[in-house]
Amino acid sequence: GHTTLELNLWANPEDRKTVIKALEETGEIVNLEILVRTKTGTKLSCLFSAKTLTYKNEPCLLFVLNDITERKKTEDKIRESEQKYRSLFENMNSAFAFHEIITDENNEPTNFKFIDVNQKYKQLWDVDDTIIGLPITQVFDVVEKDWIIDAWNVIKSGIPILRRDYL
């Protein structure tokens, strides 16, 4: 057999040092994220778990590598998408607020809660991030029950409506 060093498995030499130190100190590792290299040179992100044990009076190491390369790629794509969304959300020319609808015990809409607002919304309505988490009726005293019901109906039906109300 060959050692992991001879096989050039450690894509990051610091990972090997971390593994050795942890095994010497506690005798086990659970889900340590490491980077390994295959014999073709491909790098894989893995979760490494190991435990030292004795088998037939011989010291042994039982270990598992769980390849999470695809999961990491997916997480990176999601993070990139979220950054694009955040940039669009913050820099769009339209005022935009993201709300959660609050319902009563009969599942009827009673209010909106602010989840997020963009810069244009803050400028237009002269508000800041302190409104996040607050009911809209606590922030603005001009909200009519009809607005809340109309929004609820749009959510349920998926059919947009046009309101022409002026403050």
Side-chain angles (χ1 to χ4, degrees):
H2 298 283
T3 67
T4 58
L5 284 177
E6 292 170 335
L7 294 172
N8 197 26
L9 293 178
W10 300 98
N12 179 0
E14 290 302 311
D15 287 343
R16 180 177 181 271
K17 291 177 185 175
T18 302
V19 165
I20 291 170
K21 183 178 180 193
L23 289 172
E24 287 174 346
E25 290 176 359
T26 66
E28 70 178 350
I29 297 171
V30 178
N31 290 333
L32 174 68
E33 192 172 317
I34 64 171
L35 199 58
V36 298
R37 188 179 295 111
T38 67
K39 69 179 178 178
T40 63
T42 304
K43 292 181 180 177
L44 302 176
S45 293
C46 294
L47 291 179
F48 179 80
S49 296
K51 183 166 181 70
T52 57
L53 53 97
T54 303
Y55 179 73
K56 294 185 179 181
N57 293 325
E58 292 288 325
C60 296
L61 179 67
L62 177 64
F63 69 92
V64 176
L65 280 175
N66 183 9
D67 182 359
I68 59 168
T69 306
E70 290 305 313
R71 183 182 91 186
K72 296 286 286 182
K73 287 178 184 176
T74 301
E75 288 170 353
D76 288 344
K77 287 179 183 177
I78 290 170
R79 198 170 9 268
E80 183 180 310
S81 176
E82 287 172 346
Q83 288 169 347
K84 286 178 183 176
Y85 160 78
R86 176 56 55 189
S87 178
L88 172 66
F89 181 73
E90 286 301 330
N91 296 305
M92 62 194 288
N93 289 325
S94 299
F96 189 87
F98 182 51
H99 299 279
E100 175 184 328
I101 292 190
I102 300 169
T103 58
D104 62 18
E105 62 279 349
N106 297 319
N107 205 30
E108 293 297 321
T110 60
N111 214 327
F112 298 128
K113 179 170 71 173
F114 282 98
I115 302 299
D116 205 354
V117 294
N118 69 358
Q119 286 301 103
K120 203 59 147 179
Y121 190 95
K122 292 175 195 175
Q123 292 169 356
L124 178 66
W125 294 103
D126 192 28
V127 295
D128 58 29
D129 286 332
T130 59
I131 68 170
I132 304 302
L134 296 177
I136 194 168
T137 55
Q138 187 176 331
V139 176
F140 301 115
D141 58 357
V142 295
V143 176
E144 296 177 16
K145 178 74 173 163
D146 290 349
W147 292 4
I148 296 169
I149 292 169
D150 285 349
W152 181 250
N153 289 333
V154 168
I155 290 168
K156 289 192 317 188
S157 70
I159 300 169
I161 62 169
L162 176 63
R163 286 191 62 116
R164 293 202 168 125
D165 295 324
Y166 301 96
L167 301 177

